[in-house]
Amino acid sequence: MSDNLQFIVTGLATGSVYALVGLGIVLVHQVTGIINFAQGEFVMVGALTFALLNEKGLGLVPAALSALAITVVVGVLVERLAIAPARKSTIERLIILTIGASIAIQGITLVVIGTSPHFASAFTAGAPYRIGGVVILRQYLWVFAVTALAVVTLWYFLTRTLTGKAMRAAAMNRDAARLVAVSPSRMSLLAFVLAALLGAIGGIVLAPLQAPSAGIGIALGLKGFTAAVLGGLNSPTGAVAGGLLIGVIESVAAGYLPSGYKDAIAFGILFLVLLIRPNGLLRRASSVRV
Amino acid sequence: MTPILEVVDLIAGYGRIEALHGIDMRVEQGEAVTTIGANGAGKTTLLKTIAGLIRPRRGRISLEGENVTSWSAERRARAGIALVPEGRQVFPDLSVRDNLLLGAYGRRRQSGITEDIDKVVALFPILGERGQQLAGTLSGGQQQMLAIGRALMSRPKVLLLDEPSLGLAPLAVREVVDKLVALAEAGSTLVLVEQNAAAAFRVAARGYVLDRGEVVVEGSIETLREDPRVHSAYLGKLG
Ligand SMILES: Nc1ncnc2c1ncn2[C@@H]1O[C@H](COP(=O)(O)OP(=O)(O)OP(=O)(O)O)[C@@H](O)[C@H]1O
Ligand SMILES: [Mg+2]
């Protein structure tokens, strides 16, 4: 029993990162209609930058801030170089462009940084907590707290600030938004910036748990996508729930299966979800539900 | 005097289809003007082109003498062109109050917004009563009032309205038209597009008749009323 509890706690920690990835995918999808397959690369860039700087002796806060900044720059570049110029073409083509962007980001990272993983130290040193046989790493608590904070901040932004409401308005009705001087193109850029931030945050909290390398983005992106699809692709809360669920299922199943099957589990879930509810995937969404 | 809005030789359309074949139009400060026309005459195309949602192929649009033809819709909205679009197009999943707040999104200064919301609510009290309700749950007439209120929140120099009576119950049409009359009397500059000529003539002092992308009659409401083409096409069937 305590074995299972242990798997659940571990799964919730990685699931939090999937939740952040899923949240970024939902946000961009809602505002632009695009499924951003480069979302996992945002996590990779954030995690790798953070770990590299941390290895070089930079403190937690400056390393994290630098990782956030660099990931946002990558997000802006993806939107301005790949998405914005092709804005008038089909959604399918834009989605392919995000896959291209994802490959490009990974390729550039490989050239600049190489294939080897980098190690970040946990945010706070110290022995893990033990509660009734369950080991809770201090970093898990950071993961939970930071994820919760990011989710609440995003919710606040979307529902309580004028810019957030303008962003949702642009998602609901592009032309009507333009008529009140809200620029859908700027909102698309903003969505990518926020998605990059969410990805980087996920990467930063994840880095001390799993030493990141240039290749981790694909699996993370697909798992975040699975989380988003599980949640219905238009629900931020659904994406968070989906991410946590995938993390837990993966972790519990991995406890009983050979470790090589770990990724296969998430993709099995994705396969099932797409099989059961394939509709609505490429539909242009009408609004951000919160 | 330079007109608030001037449209010169405007040609616009969709892909290969040309919907407007050279429209000229002038709207003076404080004037209420109507454009009537049958289905497919090009009324919506005209207003969307003035608002910047459609790029014209030729022609010029000026706001207070300034050529805005190359400006984006967003920039025109900030400069004072407000369009109440066909079919209302409120933001359905936002509250009534948030819809109004977004109407003021393009204003450089966000001061005076509460006062302006109060003014809109004074004109349309229902919007005050339903402030927290989602806009998508309002009735058609209420959504139309919200769409007008949202446009007013930008403090427009010219307010364009695309068939505000469309699809509304007779009582709601009456209420909306009454409000437009009040706005016109208070000195707002209006361009009201309608198929319902009787309603349009209550609001406007001058008008244009649009037919298949061209202005076929223009002049005072009296002139329009007496024109046989207008009479048979737009007023005759209303009795
Ligand atoms: N999106 C579009 N694509 C192609 N043609 C269009 C489009 N919208 C309108 N048209 C055509 O342009 C012409 C003018 O249409 P428009 O919508 O401006 O007319 P309208 O006067 O507003 O009509 P209604 O009273 O029905 O609203 C019509 O012939 C119409 O078929
Ligand atoms: Mg029309």
Side-chain angles (χ1 to χ4, degrees):
Chain A
M1 190 55 224
S2 80
D3 262 5
N4 274 338
L5 257 178
Q6 180 68 60
F7 293 141
I8 289 172
V9 170
T10 312
L12 284 175
T14 37
S16 297
V17 178
Y18 304 157
L20 289 174
V21 182
L23 211 48
I25 288 175
V26 165
L27 192 65
V28 166
H29 179 254
Q30 288 301 296
V31 178
T32 66
I34 300 167
I35 293 165
N36 174 26
F37 282 105
Q39 184 66 30
E41 306 306 330
F42 295 162
V43 184
M44 181 274 285
V45 170
L48 203 52
T49 312
F50 177 71
L52 255 173
L53 294 176
N54 202 239
E55 274 181 353
K56 296 233 179 339
L58 214 59
L60 169 68
V61 174
L65 289 178
S66 314
L68 288 171
I70 287 176
T71 314
V72 165
V73 169
V74 172
V76 167
L77 288 175
V78 167
E79 205 278 343
R80 285 290 108 151
L81 298 182
I83 303 303
R87 201 69 199 95
K88 296 237 160 67
S89 58
T90 63
I91 292 292
E92 288 79 2
R93 185 151 172 260
L94 290 166
I95 293 172
I96 304 283
L97 278 171
T98 70
I99 297 175
S102 148
I103 295 168
I105 295 170
Q106 205 191 327
I108 293 169
T109 310
L110 278 170
V111 170
V112 176
I113 294 172
T115 52
S116 52
H118 291 268
F119 299 86
S121 42
F123 292 7
T124 38
Y129 301 102
R130 278 170 200 285
I131 301 172
V134 178
V135 179
I136 302 174
L137 297 181
R138 285 170 190 245
Q139 186 64 22
Y140 288 176
L141 299 181
W142 279 107
V143 173
F144 299 142
V146 170
T147 303
L149 188 66
V151 170
V152 170
T153 308
L154 182 69
W155 170 83
Y156 184 88
F157 168 75
L158 287 173
T159 61
R160 294 290 184 274
T161 68
L162 188 64
T163 311
K165 290 167 189 172
M167 194 160 166
R168 291 166 62 208
M172 287 172 212
N173 187 330
R174 213 178 148 79
D175 276 353
R178 299 186 67 197
L179 292 176
V180 295
V182 172
S183 157
S185 143
R186 278 203 204 158
M187 290 303 153
S188 164
L189 183 62
L190 182 57
F192 270 85
V193 166
L194 292 174
L197 279 173
L198 288 169
I201 290 169
I204 292 165
V205 295
L206 179 71
L209 295 173
Q210 296 175 14
S213 65
I216 62 166
I218 297 175
L220 283 167
L222 280 172
K223 286 174 193 173
F225 175 57
T226 311
V229 172
L230 261 181
L233 211 50
N234 58 359
S235 156
T237 356
V240 171
L244 295 175
L245 187 67
I246 293 166
V248 169
I249 293 176
E250 191 182 73
S251 166
V252 171
Y256 297 99
L257 293 171
S259 62
Y261 285 93
K262 188 164 172 265
D263 284 346
I265 291 158
F267 301 143
I269 298 174
L270 176 61
F271 183 72
L272 280 178
V273 174
L274 291 179
L275 213 65
I276 295 164
R277 41 175 313 172
N279 56 329
L281 263 192
L282 297 180
R283 171 183 46 93
R284 196 177 191 104
S286 62
S287 70
V288 183
R289 284 209 316 238
V290 280
Chain B
M1 219 185 95
T2 41
I4 286 272
L5 180 71
E6 190 178 25
V7 171
V8 181
D9 193 23
L10 196 69
I11 297 186
Y14 308 87
R16 252 186 252 152
I17 305 162
E18 189 178 296
L20 302 177
H21 315 296
I23 303 286
D24 294 290
M25 194 175 185
R26 266 175 83 95
V27 182
E28 307 291 340
Q29 159 84 50
E31 211 187 6
V33 169
T34 184
T35 300
I36 55 172
N39 273 323
K43 307 181 296 295
T44 297
T45 310
L46 175 62
L47 292 193
K48 278 185 161 179
T49 312
I50 296 173
L53 294 176
I54 296 175
R55 292 233 160 260
R57 252 168 248 173
R58 210 176 77 194
R60 180 166 55 85
I61 299 158
S62 308
L63 181 69
E64 288 183 312
E66 187 166 12
N67 187 344
V68 301
T69 320
S70 64
W71 292 13
S72 67
E74 296 88 314
R75 185 162 174 208
R76 291 186 210 191
R78 280 194 299 273
I81 297 178
L83 169 61
V84 179
E86 188 173 67
R88 342 201 198 288
Q89 303 191 31
V90 296
F91 301 117
D93 299 339
L94 292 178
S95 72
V96 167
R97 196 183 160 82
D98 284 348
N99 269 269
L100 292 177
L101 283 173
L102 279 173
Y105 184 83
R107 272 160 63 166
R108 267 169 211 90
R109 291 157 167 265
Q110 291 284 313
S111 64
I113 286 181
T114 334
E115 290 82 350
D116 284 3
I117 288 191
D118 291 345
K119 280 185 204 159
V120 168
V121 167
L123 188 64
F124 301 116
I126 190 76
L127 299 182
E129 291 160 30
R130 302 289 167 91
Q132 297 312 314
Q133 196 171 320
L134 291 186
T137 65
L138 295 179
S139 74
Q142 293 163 350
Q143 288 192 18
Q144 189 62 61
M145 295 180 211
L146 178 55
I148 297 171
R150 180 179 68 185
L152 287 172
M153 286 300 295
S154 67
R155 290 191 181 167
K157 290 179 180 146
V158 53
L159 180 63
L160 315 171
L161 301 117
D162 195 346
E163 295 204 56
S165 75
L166 190 73
L168 298 189
L171 215 62
V173 172
R174 213 197 153 98
E175 197 177 352
V176 168
V177 171
D178 284 347
K179 304 297 181 179
L180 294 180
V181 170
L183 279 173
E185 279 169 359
S188 299
T189 309
L190 307 179
V191 177
L192 171 62
V193 150
E194 267 298 341
Q195 275 192 66
N196 182 344
F201 290 172
R202 278 188 55 207
V203 178
R206 202 163 64 75
Y208 298 79
V209 178
L210 204 60
D211 184 27
R212 277 162 283 179
E214 277 173 274
V215 173
V216 290
V217 188
E218 80 173 86
S220 69
I221 294 303
E222 289 69 44
T223 318
L224 295 197
R225 266 191 216 283
E226 280 156 23
D227 192 283
R229 287 166 291 185
V230 176
H231 207 276
S232 61
Y234 301 103
L235 295 172
K237 63 183 168 195
L238 297 166

